[in-house]
């Protein structure tokens, strides 16, 4: 059932994208979960109707006790009415809260899932705009705000129901005098709108500062190894504390505004009582005991909706900001797959393609525009200015090309001329905005194409253009076939080596033979034999427990296992030694990826391999169909190794000459180079790590860095010139080991304490808030607040018992008591919020200090997301949720204690 509702939320979102009106997250949530939420509202309606049985029965009991001749069954009947109403109220209220909490939890889960799925398909430009801190806050703080809203959202309508019924019964008790209280309620409506708008602006500023701080936390946690190596802990600690102080300043303004809002709406029932009794007295009426006590009971009922209504309005404002943030994120541009064009078979075709990085587009800032029309006009103008800049960049690039062609009528451009014209006067704009310029490229099945170029020339961008990661603004791009991409910085997830290789293809879809072939072709057999758990060895986050070469080879094995039609390899050979690189090039890239010689593993077909590399020793291989030289974002030269080498003035020849100069000391001129001349035999090393060096799973915390790439060939891997067929592959039991592997990362569910929260936790928070001074002051504040409330009710009862007294004097005293109650409420709320901020600040500093001083083993064995959650969701709980919950709890507790004292 839950899956159906989550699916309904997703389907409703897609349907709204096709409608003419603006898509709404709130509308999608209502269509998915609204029916259950409305059912909960019906239970609350039954509860609210029964809540007025008490005042009516109270008036009847007073009359019954005042009349000695009243029959006994009348009193018993009134008692039965009260008992039944209280039972029904209790049943309905508990089920109402259960259903509201359940709906809130489901909404939060649906939002977290959709934000996570959206983050996986964002375009490259949106990934630059949406920081990790913002996404984390969307999944924690904003989702939590929407969940919290569901608990009392029904107060939007049941508050008016309770207010209306209360005023009806007050009319019956006090007559038209209750209109004075109604006037007070109506006066507070526009004031509430102003306060809500003010708090909305404060909430927006608070969330923006929180995004910046959480993003900085995430950056520091993700790069803790570099920070510790350079001894920058104190510097980054100061930066985070500076951002935290900015966040606390915004939070202080917000809590002061919230305290003012609570004070105003807590004062409304008191103002209503004063206005009602004032009208009642000045119209010549006399207040008796029955009317006074019944009116007090009705005013107590009126107190809750008037108190909850501003709270819900504030929650609506906060949730509105969260809905707006979710709306903007979920409507962000997604990555669009590249079309197949006119290709009928596997291949790539780029014709006059010009590409840009959308991340270079300046971010649009609203500058506080409140008008929606003005904001849309400014955004449209911003987009047009960006389009004009791109057109100017293309025009400038075209003018440079025309100028170069005019200087060379034969049309043969040397690399120096191209470089001079592009880098000449006026060429800065083109270089800044255009990532790739006028790219013409075609390949078909069976092509092994090498892409070379200097650092920053656009080799990686060329691969990303094929993936659709950079935007095409001119020309055409068509790609047909399954893609496998091996990035320059391999993505390694916190999981076993096997799951990093198969990458989702598990259980029924797992191919054992192809998996073994990928392991062998990427020279991973010996590495697995040195690991205690073989291929079930758990890898730390970002491959922290692996060497650079091991991470590159695992990423290559993952790409090979996918059995794709097109392989895009971004310089994977730079992370391994020469002899390992030769093995990978011959066995993995040529034999398996290109020629697919392991016919037993899959259907025999030739794939396309595009290899970005500056390892020139592999370019003379006869399987390399052509070499593409990229310079300054454009294809400068295309040809075979012999063709490009024969051009003395080519850019490729300059690469060869640089390598020639580097090898002159060894008398190894590259002019006589071919791929087999280089000595790629492995060298014996003195730091080989055997499998016996692994520690047991009980006394280790982190897997050691087992070996470097130059260790691999010393034991067991022989670089023989044969294909990686399954029949020739080596059998290694470690890969098929069935016993449970030892866990590297700590398990939060096992370490988390169960049951109630220990009292020491609350005492530690109270100690940070001010210690005994805070506890004593808080107790005194609640005692005074409750004492003033009890004194107000006692004074009204005393007034009703002195019918011949001066009504104006009684009324003045009653008004003074109520104004004192309002003042004590404001002071109490501000005090608890300020002390809560003090505790939150100190606890955050301690948390940050402990994190900065923690050893690297802690970060190696603790997932980054878990640590970030401590600085996002848990800090938000300390900042706001804990204080608000404790304030409500203490208010209820003090009310119960006060009632017990009065009754006793």
């Amino acid at each position: 059932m839950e899956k159906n509702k989550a699916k309904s939320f997703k389907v409703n979102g897609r349907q709204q994208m096709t409608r003419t009106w603006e898509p709404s997250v709130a509308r999608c949530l209502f269509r998915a979960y609204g029916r259950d939420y409305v059912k909960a509202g019906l239970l609350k309606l039954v509860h609210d109707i029964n809540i007025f049985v008490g005042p009516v029965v109270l008036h009847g009991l007073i009359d019954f006790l005042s009349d000695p001749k009243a029959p006994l069954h009348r009193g018993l009947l009134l008692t039965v009415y009260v008992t039944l109403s209280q039972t029904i109220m209790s049943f309905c209220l508990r089920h109402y809260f259960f259903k509201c909490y359940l709906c809130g939890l489901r909404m939060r889960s649906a939002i977290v899932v959709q934000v996570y799925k959206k983050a996986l398909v964002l375009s490259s430009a949106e990934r630059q705009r949406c920081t990790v801190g913002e996404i984390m806050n969307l999944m924690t703080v904003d989702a939590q705000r929407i969940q919290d809203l569901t608990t009392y959202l029904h107060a939007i309508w049941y508050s008016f129901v309770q207010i209306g019924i209360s005023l009806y019964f007050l009319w019956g008790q006090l007559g038209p005098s209750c209109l004075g209280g109604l006037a007070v309620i109506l006066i507070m409506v526009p004031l509430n709108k102003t306060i809500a708008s003010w708090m909305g602006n404060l909430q927006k500023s608070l969330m923006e500062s929180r995004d910046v701080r959480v993003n900085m936390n995430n950056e520091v946690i993700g790069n803790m190894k570099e920070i510790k190596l350079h001894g920058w802990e104190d510097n980054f600690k100061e930066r985070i504390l500076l951002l935290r102080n900015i966040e606390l300043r915004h939070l202080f303004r917000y809590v002061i505004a919230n305290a003012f809002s609570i004070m105003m709406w807590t004062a409304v029932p008191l103002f209503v009582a004063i206005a009602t009794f004032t009208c009642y007295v000045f119209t010549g009426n006399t207040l008796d005991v029955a009317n006074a006590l019944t009116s007090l009971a009705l005013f107590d009922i009126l107190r809750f909706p008037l108190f909850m209504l501003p709270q819900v309005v504030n929650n609506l404002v906060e949730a509105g900001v969260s809905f707006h943030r979710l709306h903007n994120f979920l409507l962000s541009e997604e990555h669009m797959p590249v079309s197949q064009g006119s290709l009928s078979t596997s291949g790539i075709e780029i014709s006059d393609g010009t590409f840009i990085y959308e991340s270079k587009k300046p971010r649009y800032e609203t500058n506080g525009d409140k008008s929606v029309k003005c904001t849309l006009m400014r955004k449209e103008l911003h987009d047009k200015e960006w389009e004009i800049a791109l057109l100017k960049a293309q025009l400038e690039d075209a003018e440079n090309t025309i100028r170069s062609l005019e200087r060379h009528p034969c049309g043969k451009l040397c690399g120096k001329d191209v470089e001079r014209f592009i880098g000449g006067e006026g060429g800065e704009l083109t270089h800044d905005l255009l990532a790739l310029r006028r790219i013409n490229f075609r390949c078909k099945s069976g092509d092994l194409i090498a892409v070379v170029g200097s650092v920053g020339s656009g080799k990686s961008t060329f691969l990303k253009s094929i993936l659709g990661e950079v935007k095409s603004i001119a020309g055409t791009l068509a790609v047909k076939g399954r893609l496998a991409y091996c990035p320059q910085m391999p993505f390694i997830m916190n999981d076993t080596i096997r799951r990093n290789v198969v990458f989702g293809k598990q259980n029924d879809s797992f191919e054992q033979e192809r998996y073994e072939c990928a392991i062998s072709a990427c020279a991973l057999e010996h590495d697995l034999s040195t690991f205690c758990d073989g291929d079930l060895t758990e890898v730390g986050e970002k491959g922290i427990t692996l060497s650079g070469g091991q991470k590159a080879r695992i990423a290559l094995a993952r790409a090979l296992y996918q059995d794709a039609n097109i392989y895009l390899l971004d310089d994977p050979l730079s992370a391994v030694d020469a002899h390992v690189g030769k093995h990978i090039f011959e066995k993995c890239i040529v034999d398996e990826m290109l020629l697919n010689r392991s016919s037993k593993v899959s259907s025999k077909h030739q794939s396309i391999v595009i290899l970005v590399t500056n390892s020139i020793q592999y370019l003379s291989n006869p399987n390399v169909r052509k070499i593409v030289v990229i310079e300054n974002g454009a294809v400068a030269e295309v040809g075979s190794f012999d063709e490009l080498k024969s051009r003395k003035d080519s850019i490729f020849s300059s690469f060869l000459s640089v390598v020639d100069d580097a090898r002159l000391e060894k008398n190894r001129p590259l002019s006589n180079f071919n791929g087999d001349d280089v000595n790629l035999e492995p060298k014996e090393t003195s730091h080989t790590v055997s499998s016996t060096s692994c520690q047991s799973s009980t006394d280790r915390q982190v897997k050691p860095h087992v070996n470097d790439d130059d260790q691999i060939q010393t034991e067991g891997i022989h670089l023989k010139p044969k294909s990686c067929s399954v029949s020739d592959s080596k059998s290694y039991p470690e890969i098929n080991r069935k016993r449970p592997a030892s866990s590297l990362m700590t398990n939060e569910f096992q370490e988390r304490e169960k049951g109630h929260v220990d009292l020491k936790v609350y005492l530690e928070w109270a100690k940070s808030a001010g210690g005994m001074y805070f506890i004593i002051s808080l107790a005194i504040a609640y005692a005074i607040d409750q004492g003033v409330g009890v004194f107000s009710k006692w004074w009204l009862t005393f007034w009703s018992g002195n019918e011949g007294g001066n009504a104006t004097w009684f009324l003045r005293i009653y008004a003074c008591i109520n104004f004192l109650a309002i003042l004590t409420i404001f002071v109490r709320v501000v005090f608890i919020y300020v002390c809560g901020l003090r505790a939150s600040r100190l606890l955050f500093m301690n948390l940050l200090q402990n994190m900065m001083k923690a050893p690297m083993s802690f970060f190696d064995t603790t997932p980054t997301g878990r640590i970030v959650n401590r600085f996002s969701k848990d800090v938000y709980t300390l900042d706001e949720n804990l204080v608000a919950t404790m304030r409500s709890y203490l208010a209820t507790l003090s009310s119960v204690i006060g009632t017990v004292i009065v009754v006793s």
Side-chain angles (χ1 to χ4, degrees):
M1 181 178 178
E2 178 59 27
K3 290 183 178 179
N4 294 335
K5 292 189 177 296
K7 185 177 180 181
S8 175
F9 172 68
K10 184 177 180 180
V11 170
N12 287 325
R14 290 180 176 177
Q15 290 178 351
Q16 290 196 41
M17 294 294 293
T18 61
R19 305 291 175 84
T20 56
W21 59 71
E22 183 75 10
S24 171
V25 178
R27 193 181 299 121
C28 293
L29 289 172
F30 179 77
R31 291 186 176 182
Y33 305 99
R35 180 176 298 178
D36 292 337
Y37 198 66
V38 170
K39 291 179 181 178
L42 296 177
L43 292 173
K44 189 66 172 67
L45 180 62
V46 175
H47 168 271
D48 290 348
I49 293 175
N50 282 272
I51 202 175
F52 290 96
V53 174
V56 174
V57 171
L58 176 63
H59 191 277
L61 284 175
I62 294 175
D63 292 340
F64 171 76
L65 296 175
S66 302
D67 186 6
K69 299 181 180 180
L72 180 62
H73 69 85
R74 180 183 174 188
L76 295 176
L77 191 62
L78 292 174
T79 305
V80 172
Y81 287 158
V82 172
T83 304
L84 288 177
S85 65
Q86 292 297 321
T87 303
I88 295 173
M89 285 170 53
S90 178
F91 176 83
C92 292
L93 189 63
R94 299 311 144 202
H95 281 72
Y96 160 76
F97 279 118
F98 170 75
K99 289 184 176 295
C100 288
Y101 281 126
L102 186 60
C103 287
L105 183 61
R106 289 174 175 174
M107 290 181 185
R108 180 177 179 272
S109 300
I111 291 171
V112 170
V113 170
Q114 292 305 315
V115 170
Y116 178 77
K117 289 182 177 180
K118 184 70 176 185
L120 295 178
V121 296
L122 288 176
S123 65
S124 57
E126 294 296 339
R127 287 199 301 270
Q128 295 291 329
R129 183 184 65 84
C130 300
T131 63
V132 176
E134 180 180 352
I135 297 175
M136 283 294 300
N137 278 335
L138 288 173
M139 299 176 69
T140 54
V141 178
D142 293 297
Q144 184 65 41
R145 286 191 187 280
I146 294 174
Q147 179 184 357
D148 295 339
L149 176 65
T150 59
T151 307
Y152 291 103
L153 181 60
H154 282 293
I156 291 296
W157 63 265
Y158 74 65
S159 295
F160 294 101
V161 171
Q162 292 184 7
I163 291 172
I165 299 178
S166 297
L167 291 177
Y168 170 77
F169 282 109
L170 282 173
W171 182 283
Q173 295 295 322
L174 305 176
S177 302
C178 66
L179 296 178
L182 179 62
V184 172
I185 296 175
L186 295 178
I187 292 174
M188 293 299 296
V189 172
L191 180 61
N192 178 66
K193 181 180 178 181
T194 304
I195 295 176
S197 177
W198 177 36
M199 294 189 65
N201 294 331
L202 294 176
Q203 177 67 21
K204 184 177 180 181
S205 302
L206 173 60
M207 292 304 300
E208 290 175 354
S209 62
R210 183 169 286 158
D211 286 344
V212 175
R213 195 262 304 165
V214 172
N215 188 59
M216 174 59 68
N217 274 119
N218 181 72
E219 292 291 335
V220 170
I221 295 169
N223 298 277
M224 185 57 70
K225 186 174 183 179
E226 289 76 11
I227 293 174
K228 286 187 174 294
L229 286 175
H230 292 85
W232 292 339
E233 294 97 327
D234 293 337
N235 295 333
F236 278 95
K237 177 185 173 183
E238 291 177 0
R239 292 187 62 180
I240 294 176
L241 288 178
L242 178 62
L243 296 176
R244 175 62 175 168
N245 290 333
I246 295 174
E247 179 188 1
L248 287 177
R249 283 198 293 269
H250 288 289
L251 184 59
F252 177 75
R253 298 190 189 103
Y254 179 77
V255 298
I256 292 299
N258 191 26
F260 181 75
S261 175
I262 293 172
M263 180 200 70
M264 291 299 297
W265 283 98
T266 305
V268 170
L270 304 180
F271 288 149
V272 169
I274 294 173
T276 301
F277 286 132
T278 300
C279 294
Y280 188 75
V281 168
F282 281 100
T283 53
N285 296 304
T286 303
L287 192 66
D288 58 7
V289 176
N291 288 338
L293 294 180
T294 304
S295 299
L296 278 178
L298 292 172
F299 283 134
D300 283 339
I301 295 176
L302 195 63
R303 181 188 299 271
F304 181 77
L306 290 178
F307 175 76
M308 284 306 305
L309 189 60
Q311 297 296 317
V312 175
V313 171
N314 294 341
N315 292 340
L316 274 174
V317 171
E318 296 173 356
V321 175
S322 297
F323 276 125
H324 180 69
R325 286 159 53 86
L326 286 167
H327 173 270
N328 291 338
F329 179 77
L330 294 177
L331 290 183
S332 300
E333 184 181 1
E334 296 184 1
H335 171 76
M336 299 300 295
V338 180
S339 65
Q340 298 181 1
S342 59
L343 296 175
S344 57
T345 59
S346 298
I348 302 172
E349 182 176 346
I350 305 177
S351 178
D352 294 326
T354 299
F355 301 87
I356 62 166
Y357 274 114
E358 291 184 284
S359 57
K360 293 184 178 181
K361 179 180 179 180
R363 186 172 181 178
Y364 172 71
E365 301 291 345
T366 58
N367 295 324
D369 294 333
K370 297 182 179 180
S371 172
V372 177
K373 184 177 180 180
C374 181
T375 302
L376 294 177
M377 291 178 62
R378 288 181 178 274
K379 188 176 186 304
E380 184 179 359
L381 179 61
H382 177 78
D383 294 337
K384 289 183 177 180
E385 290 175 350
W386 170 246
E387 186 176 356
I388 291 173
L390 294 179
L391 292 174
K392 287 183 177 180
Q394 296 179 71
L395 178 61
E396 183 183 352
D397 179 59
E399 291 175 349
N400 289 337
T401 305
I402 294 173
R403 196 179 303 119
S404 62
L405 290 173
E406 289 175 348
R407 292 199 175 200
H408 297 272
C410 60
K412 295 181 179 180
L413 298 177
C414 65
K416 294 181 179 179
D417 289 326
V418 174
E419 183 179 358
R420 182 171 70 252
F421 284 118
I422 293 177
E425 184 178 356
E428 183 179 357
L429 184 61
T430 301
H431 177 73
D432 283 345
L433 294 184
L434 303 183
L436 296 175
R437 301 175 288 108
R438 302 184 314 281
I439 301 295
N440 290 282
F441 177 80
R442 290 175 180 82
C443 63
K444 60 182 183 302
S445 296
D447 287 351
L448 172 56
I449 300 173
V451 180
V452 299
S454 59
V455 176
S457 59
K459 303 186 296 297
S460 298
T461 305
F462 175 70
L463 295 185
K464 290 182 179 180
S465 67
I466 298 174
L467 294 170
E469 289 295 317
V470 289
K471 184 178 181 180
S472 174
I473 60 173
T476 59
L477 169 65
V479 178
K480 181 177 176 59
R482 298 188 307 275
L483 288 169
Y485 175 55
C486 181
Q488 196 169 11
M489 300 293 293
F491 170 73
I492 305 295
M493 58 183 179
N494 171 221
D495 211 328
T496 63
I497 294 177
R498 172 181 289 189
R499 290 184 177 178
N500 270 284
V501 173
V502 301
F503 209 60
K505 290 187 176 181
Q506 301 175 17
N507 301 329
D508 297 337
S509 60
F510 177 70
E511 301 179 37
Q512 180 71 29
E513 293 180 343
R514 184 156 192 85
Y515 174 74
E516 293 179 0
C517 178
I519 293 295
S520 177
C522 296
L524 284 169
E525 289 177 308
H526 179 73
D527 296 81
L528 297 181
S529 68
T530 61
F531 293 143
C532 297
D533 298 314
D535 67 340
L536 298 181
T537 300
E538 186 178 2
V539 179
E541 283 196 337
K542 300 181 182 179
I544 192 66
T545 55
L546 301 174
S547 67
Q550 288 170 336
K551 288 189 285 187
R553 284 181 283 130
I554 289 176
L556 268 175
R558 176 193 302 155
L560 177 58
Y561 180 79
Q562 302 304 314
D563 192 21
N565 303 114
I566 302 172
Y567 294 94
L568 306 178
L569 310 179
D570 193 355
D571 205 10
L573 303 176
S574 62
V576 298
D577 293 335
H579 48 279
V580 182
K582 182 179 180 181
H583 172 83
I584 292 176
F585 182 79
E586 293 177 353
K587 305 301 178 186
C588 178
I589 296 177
V590 175
D591 290 351
E592 297 305 320
M593 290 184 175
L594 179 64
L595 304 177
N596 197 10
R597 290 181 176 174
S598 301
S599 56
K600 293 183 181 179
V601 176
S602 60
S603 59
K604 195 173 183 65
H605 68 272
Q606 291 187 341
S607 303
I608 301 171
V609 180
I610 300 178
L611 174 65
V612 171
T613 183
N614 280 333
S615 301
I616 303 180
Q617 63 266 30
Y618 306 118
L619 303 183
S620 62
N621 189 290
N623 292 289
V624 178
R625 187 67 55 88
K626 60 183 176 181
I627 300 172
V628 177
V629 181
I630 295 182
E631 188 71 14
N632 292 326
V635 176
E637 298 168 353
V638 179
S640 64
F641 180 83
D642 294 332
E643 291 174 353
L644 296 178
K645 186 176 69 171
S646 63
R647 302 176 190 173
K648 302 301 180 183
D649 57 349
S650 66
I651 298 176
F652 186 76
S653 297
S654 65
F655 290 158
L656 298 182
S657 63
V658 170
V659 179
D660 273 337
D661 295 340
R663 295 175 180 266
L664 282 178
E665 297 180 0
K666 299 182 179 180
N667 296 322
R668 303 274 319 256
L670 197 63
S671 56
N672 299 324
F673 167 79
N674 61 62
D676 296 326
D677 290 338
V678 181
N679 181 17
L680 298 176
E681 294 299 323
K683 298 180 181 180
E684 294 292 335
T685 59
S686 59
H687 54 282
T688 302
V689 180
S690 64
S691 59
T692 58
S693 64
C694 294
Q695 302 176 13
S696 65
S697 60
T698 58
D699 59 358
R700 64 182 174 86
Q701 288 185 334
V702 183
K703 281 283 186 183
H705 290 262
V706 178
N707 59 341
D708 294 325
D709 297 307
D710 55 358
Q711 308 166 8
I712 297 174
Q713 280 68 29
T714 59
E715 297 180 24
I717 289 186
H718 305 282
L719 305 182
K720 297 180 181 180
K722 64 179 181 179
S723 64
C724 177
S725 62
V726 177
S727 59
D728 295 329
S729 64
K730 181 180 177 180
S731 175
Y732 33 92
E734 290 86 353
I735 292 183
N736 301 317
R737 187 173 298 176
K738 299 298 183 181
R739 68 176 178 82
S742 56
S743 177
L744 170 69
M745 310 301 286
T746 57
N747 192 327
E748 183 179 12
F749 294 102
Q750 294 179 356
E751 296 178 354
R752 181 182 298 172
E753 295 185 4
K754 299 180 180 179
H756 66 279
V757 179
D758 195 349
L759 182 61
K760 294 181 180 179
V761 177
Y762 293 106
L763 293 179
E764 184 66 27
W765 182 86
K767 181 180 178 181
S768 301
M772 291 302 299
Y773 167 77
F774 167 73
I775 297 176
I776 294 174
S777 301
L778 192 64
I780 293 174
Y782 273 97
I784 293 175
D785 179 41
Q786 194 63 33
V788 172
V790 172
F791 182 62
S792 174
K793 296 176 182 179
W794 176 84
W795 182 259
L796 190 61
T797 306
F798 177 73
W799 177 10
S800 62
N802 292 269
E803 299 181 359
N806 188 350
T808 305
W809 181 77
F810 282 109
L811 184 62
R812 289 175 181 175
I813 299 298
Y814 183 71
C816 291
I817 295 172
N818 285 338
F819 279 114
L820 180 61
I822 295 171
L823 180 62
T824 56
I825 290 172
F826 179 75
V827 173
R828 172 174 58 83
V829 172
V830 170
F831 174 76
I832 192 172
Y833 270 124
V834 170
C835 291
L837 288 181
R838 183 177 185 272
S840 181
R841 180 176 62 85
L842 292 178
L843 292 175
F844 181 88
M845 290 177 61
N846 294 335
L847 175 65
L848 182 62
Q849 177 72 15
N850 292 336
M851 185 199 72
M852 287 296 187
K853 299 301 181 182
M856 274 308 301
S857 59
F858 169 77
F859 298 96
D860 292 341
T861 58
T862 306
T864 301
R866 189 187 306 170
I867 304 176
V868 173
N869 268 335
R870 302 292 83 81
F871 287 94
S872 57
K873 175 68 181 333
D874 292 351
V875 171
Y876 162 71
T877 302
L878 281 175
D879 288 345
E880 300 184 45
N881 279 0
L882 182 60
V883 177
T885 304
M886 187 181 68
R887 181 175 58 82
S888 300
Y889 172 76
L890 291 178
T892 304
L893 181 63
S894 62
S895 178
V896 171
I897 294 175
T899 303
V900 171
I901 293 175
V902 170
V903 172
S904 60

